[in-house]
Amino acid sequence: MRFSSSGTFFAATALFASTLLSSVSVHGAHAADAPASAAPAAGGAAQSAPAQAPMDPNSVIATVNGEKITLDDIRKSAANMPPQLRQLPQNMIFPMLVNQAVDQKAIQIAARKDNLQNDAEVKTAMEAAANTALQNAWLSRQVVPQLTDAAIHDYYQKNYANKTPEKEVHARHILVKTEAEAQDVIKKLKGGANFGTLAESLSTDKGSAKNNGGDLGWFKKGDMVPAFSDAAFAMKPGTYSQTPVKSQFGYHVIQVLADRTVPVPKEDEVKDKIRQQLIQQDVRAAVDKATSAVKIVRFGPDGKPVPEGAQPAIAGNPTASPAK
């Protein structure tokens, strides 16, 4: 249980960012197509394999009822494979992907033969998939060109380079409902009781109590609510609070196990984290750009337009499926 004071992260931005990351990885990765090195000539040193021109991506690998499956189709499938499967030898991956593409093409032909493309539910699903692809393509073109090494470096300089090293504390706690209960815990500790044992039996924070005797691990001051952080960071390692610490969660008895100063990370250490932050930032800017260029009208349960800036009221349960 983290006693954080930060707000809930903007869920839509996170969703767009995760979608974009997937899109970037697909467009930026292809199955390796370099030929293996030639075997060494008998009785001599290894010879370099002659350079080979890359195969035409439009090369036909198979046909199903005359419908083509190309090398580029296979490469795209390879790019979507889980990383662990990409480690398999090429002579295993390639036939597997070709067989998969043939099966998929045969199913598509059978589905069209059954006229499923005109089924109402299927049409809705196909339209939704097309819209999602369109959204992702637009977001990718807005954001990906900005994800440069220079942008990452600039973000590092502004948000990391000039910061002073931060202090962290390793602490555990016992959380109870009343001040009297907390006073009783402190009395037991003064009498020689084991902190972890008391946490397991008395703390209402069952997440930290059950698994590790109230241990919250290492945290920075901003990671916890102010009342908790102020108390913990004012204590010396090896001590516990002599008076209950009140927060919106109840009353805490805190034991500080250790403290440390964490140096500012090097740019390479946070490069991936910065990339994620830039994606979220740039996706939000792209979404704002799109919404600012259109006219948006929201309607209330009565069918009347809602004034700009106001939130429409919820009518019934909008997420419930309609009765059939």
Side-chain angles (χ1 to χ4, degrees), residues 159-223:
N159 296 279
Y160 288 90
N162 297 319
K163 286 195 172 183
T164 56
E166 283 192 83
K167 182 179 177 182
E168 287 187 338
V169 161
H170 181 196
R172 54 183 178 177
H173 80 137
I174 300 170
L175 177 65
V176 291
K177 293 181 180 180
T178 68
E179 184 175 8
E181 289 176 293
Q183 292 283 13
D184 187 57
V185 168
I186 294 170
K187 183 178 179 181
K188 286 183 170 67
L189 290 172
K190 289 180 177 179
N194 180 273
F195 194 100
T197 302
L198 289 180
E200 290 177 11
S201 61
L202 300 176
S203 182
T204 59
D205 176 12
K206 298 303 180 184
S208 67
K210 181 179 179 181
N211 298 326
N212 46 16
D215 197 335
L216 298 170
W218 290 95
F219 54 88
K220 296 180 175 65
K221 196 165 187 179
D223 293 339

